[in-house]
Amino acid sequence: MSDIGERLKRVREEIEESRRHSLTGEEVELIAVTKTHGVDVIEEAIRCGATDIGENKVQELTKKIEAIGPKVRYHMIGNLQSNKVKYIYRDVVLIHSLDRLSLAKEIEKRGGQTDDTVHCLLEVNIGDEASKGGLEYDGVVPFLESILDYEHIKIDGLMTVAPNVDDDAYLRKLFRKMFALKEDIENRHYEGVDMTYLSMGMSKDFNIAIEEGANMVRVGSRIFGARHY
Ligand SMILES: *Cc1c(COP(=O)(O)O)cnc(C)c1O
């Protein structure tokens, strides 16, 4: 088996192991994050069973979609500029990074033009980091309420990028807060809103994230090695 195949297998095993100890016992979807890696590498991952591809830049994403085609699902996981929505909203299954009204307005407008429903996750800045996108924790519910009547946006859950720290206890606490927020929103029973996905956990922290209720993880370097910038 190729290196990528081996690493993918190992990550899957760890996901399954964490799932067995998780709060929910739910199945976990793995998104292979391919940013900075070439099409050949991605094709190899697909041959080894990758079904979902995550990219954080629009230009890279569109290039790869063009080259690889519709045999996998694509996820927009990075900060999204409003003026680039038009290039990707019909080609991704999920935008993970909805975090502001201007972006919601643009997605709603584009979805309306082509009569598409655009599936999105609300991104939460769980570590309250100035350098990161995402809604502040207390702002998530008010934001969600402000876009409830957007007919072309479907909110499918929450996403977060945890701080890059080695403090497992702290990370666990943050992931727990995310799960609590997901439950809080679920219990409000907004029409047309489903908290299907909790997208959290990356190479360094997906084990903890899954234990605390993540059912979608975004893993890059553990599968593809260091990024080539
Ligand atoms: C790069 C990236 C990942 C994957 O990071 P790794 O640490 O390489 O697993 C996950 N989510 C987002 C939003 C990213 O930008």
Side-chain angles (χ1 to χ4, degrees):
M1 206 187 292
S2 66
D3 281 1
I4 287 173
E6 292 286 358
R7 292 198 208 112
L8 202 51
K9 179 159 168 276
R10 181 77 195 121
V11 166
R12 283 191 202 290
E13 285 165 0
E14 285 184 31
I15 287 173
E16 183 52 26
E17 179 64 23
S18 301
R19 187 187 69 81
R20 268 188 254 125
H21 304 121
S22 83
L23 210 56
T24 64
E26 271 180 279
E27 289 290 318
V28 177
E29 289 189 30
L30 170 62
I31 299 174
V33 177
T34 52
K35 61 195 193 200
T36 80
H37 297 287
V39 167
D40 49 338
V41 170
I42 303 171
E43 292 281 9
E44 172 62 15
I46 295 169
R47 277 193 294 278
C48 298
T51 56
D52 289 76
I53 299 295
E55 284 281 340
N56 70 337
K57 293 213 162 65
V58 166
Q59 208 183 352
E60 217 178 317
L61 179 59
T62 54
K63 237 176 53 192
K64 287 170 182 172
I65 292 175
E66 218 166 277
I68 297 163
K71 61 183 176 240
V72 281
R73 293 183 287 266
Y74 298 96
H75 297 253
M76 178 62 200
I77 62 173
N79 176 47
L80 179 55
Q81 285 173 261
S82 298
N83 62 3
K84 295 191 173 157
V85 168
K86 58 177 177 282
Y87 300 119
I88 55 126
Y89 76 99
R90 302 190 81 180
D91 298 319
V92 297
V93 290
L94 205 49
I95 294 173
H96 290 233
S97 46
L98 177 53
D99 64 353
R100 58 194 192 279
L101 197 57
S102 55
L103 179 58
K105 283 183 173 160
E106 177 65 16
I107 295 171
E108 172 67 8
K109 184 180 113 186
R110 294 289 170 185
Q113 284 170 352
T114 51
D115 201 21
D116 284 294
T117 300
V118 185
H119 291 257
C120 299
L121 304 181
L122 300 177
E123 182 176 352
V124 184
N125 186 351
I126 195 63
D128 234 339
E129 296 171 278
S131 60
K132 277 203 180 115
L135 292 149
E136 68 173 274
Y137 193 80
D138 293 334
V140 175
V141 166
F143 177 76
L144 174 59
E145 290 183 346
S146 76
I147 60 166
L148 284 177
D149 62 347
Y150 285 32
E151 292 175 7
H152 300 92
I153 295 181
K154 171 81 172 65
I155 300 299
D156 283 341
L158 305 176
M159 176 272 212
T160 198
V161 178
N164 186 11
V165 295
D166 286 326
D167 184 344
D168 286 1
Y170 177 61
L171 289 171
R172 193 175 292 279
K173 194 180 98 183
L174 297 182
F175 290 139
R176 240 172 233 185
K177 276 182 74 176
M178 287 295 298
F179 188 79
L181 181 59
K182 177 189 182 236
E183 287 204 305
D184 174 24
I185 294 172
E186 248 160 21
N187 291 333
R188 291 168 187 259
H189 301 291
Y190 296 114
E191 207 181 308
V193 174
D194 291 298
M195 288 289 107
T196 308
Y197 296 116
L198 186 51
S199 168
M200 60 184 191
M202 306 174 24
S203 288
K204 278 170 52 176
D205 57 18
F206 71 84
N207 311 74
I208 304 172
I210 292 168
E211 286 171 16
E212 298 304 330
N215 59 7
M216 191 174 253
V217 294
R218 310 174 310 268
V219 180
S221 42
R222 277 289 308 274
I223 301 170
F224 299 105
R227 282 184 272 280
H228 308 298
Y229 288 107

